[in-house]
Amino acid sequence: DTAVSQTPKYLVTQMGNDKSIKCEQNLGHDTMYWYKQDSKKFLKIMFSYNNKELIINETVPNRFSPKSPDKAHLNLHINSLELGDSAVYFCASSLLAGEQFFGPGTRLTVL
Amino acid sequence: GENVEQHPSTLSVQEGDSAVIKCTYSDSASNYFPWYKQELGKGPQLIIDIRSNVGEKKDQRIAVTLNKTAKHFSLHITETQPEDSAVYFCAASQTGANNLFFGTGTRLTVIP
């Protein structure tokens, strides 16, 4: 039944480590997104992929690299984690320019 | 780029009262304005949206109004219920663009 799923739900790691967050959608959408929500609840888009191609890349450090193996998956890999990367990361999907459906989020804590 | 401001940041109302949340945007090219509700520990969920060719839209107890000239739009919730308690986000984008610019959120508390 899950429309947009993310794993893991919680991720606690040390500074300097490399980690990945996975996202999958079963809605048949052609566009997927990654958002970052900081401690003040501010939501900001990071990346958007349409049919596996990058269409939006906001000002995000190049330590963040999205990978889309197919239309149903958009994973986020983060290198050399920093304290400031601590946040909740949301994956979303939509048809191009349509309603965006969000996943449950991954709370990343960098110690 | 687009800048969306949202007020108030927190709002407490008695059950049964109305709640109003207001947003302004800066880019006159924006023409799609969704509202999202985020419950604790969950992702945002679309509750209503409006496009710039429409001034008002209603769906049961919620309504959204848009003033394109003044570049502001508002969410109205009537007969509030405790389950309306959540963080609400407004957003703006251009139709055909997938880049949603979010407001800073309003934490609504409905007191039974």
Side-chain angles (χ1 to χ4, degrees):
Chain A
D1 268 339
T2 305
V4 182
S5 59
Q6 297 179 226
T7 53
K9 188 165 175 63
Y10 300 97
L11 184 53
V12 181
T13 188
Q14 298 284 337
M15 259 192 335
N17 284 351
D18 302 338
K19 290 293 178 186
S20 292
I21 307 172
K22 296 186 176 182
C23 178
E24 177 180 3
Q25 55 95 3
N26 62 5
L27 297 167
H29 289 160
D30 56 7
T31 308
M32 296 185 72
Y33 314 79
W34 278 107
Y35 287 86
K36 180 180 180 180
Q37 186 171 47
D38 63 23
S39 58
K40 295 182 179 178
K41 294 287 191 184
F42 187 59
L43 259 173
K44 186 172 167 59
I45 192 164
M46 301 172 69
F47 302 101
S48 172
Y49 269 72
N50 175 253
N51 286 319
K52 302 197 303 174
E53 292 193 11
L54 182 67
I55 55 172
I56 293 172
N57 181 359
E58 289 297 304
T59 307
V60 175
N62 58 13
R63 299 181 296 103
F64 290 78
S65 53
K67 294 273 191 316
S68 181
D70 55 57
K71 284 198 307 183
H73 296 84
L74 181 63
N75 303 324
L76 183 65
H77 188 76
I78 316 169
N79 288 328
S80 304
L81 279 156
E82 300 177 357
L83 292 176
D85 298 332
S86 295
V88 180
Y89 292 85
F90 287 100
C91 176
S93 74
S94 74
L95 293 172
L96 190 62
E99 175 188 347
Q100 293 187 23
F101 291 79
F102 283 75
T106 295
R107 182 175 293 277
L108 171 65
T109 303
V110 182
L111 303 175
Chain B
E2 176 64 275
N3 181 41
V4 179
E5 295 190 356
Q6 182 172 347
H7 300 281
S9 57
T10 60
L11 179 60
S12 292
V13 298
Q14 292 289 334
E15 182 176 357
D17 287 350
S18 296
V20 180
I21 302 170
K22 298 183 179 183
C23 289
T24 60
Y25 62 99
S26 61
D27 189 346
S28 56
S30 290
N31 55 13
Y32 173 61
F33 307 93
W35 285 88
Y36 283 83
K37 175 183 182 183
Q38 185 177 19
E39 295 177 331
L40 193 62
K42 296 185 178 179
Q45 183 178 13
L46 181 75
I47 55 171
I48 195 168
D49 57 12
I50 191 167
R51 297 185 186 270
S52 61
N53 57 345
V54 175
E56 183 175 358
K57 185 176 176 182
K58 275 187 180 180
D59 183 4
Q60 299 183 339
R61 295 186 297 107
I62 59 173
V64 57
T65 58
L66 171 65
N67 183 328
K68 263 203 92 177
T69 305
K71 296 203 198 80
H72 65 71
F73 56 113
S74 301
L75 177 71
H76 303 253
I77 306 174
T78 58
E79 300 172 30
T80 53
Q81 300 166 3
E83 51 265 38
D84 294 329
S85 296
V87 179
Y88 290 80
F89 291 94
C90 63
S93 78
Q94 299 176 30
T95 303
N98 293 283
N99 198 355
L100 279 180
F101 292 90
F102 282 87
T104 46
T106 296
R107 184 177 297 279
L108 173 65
T109 303
V110 179
I111 304 164

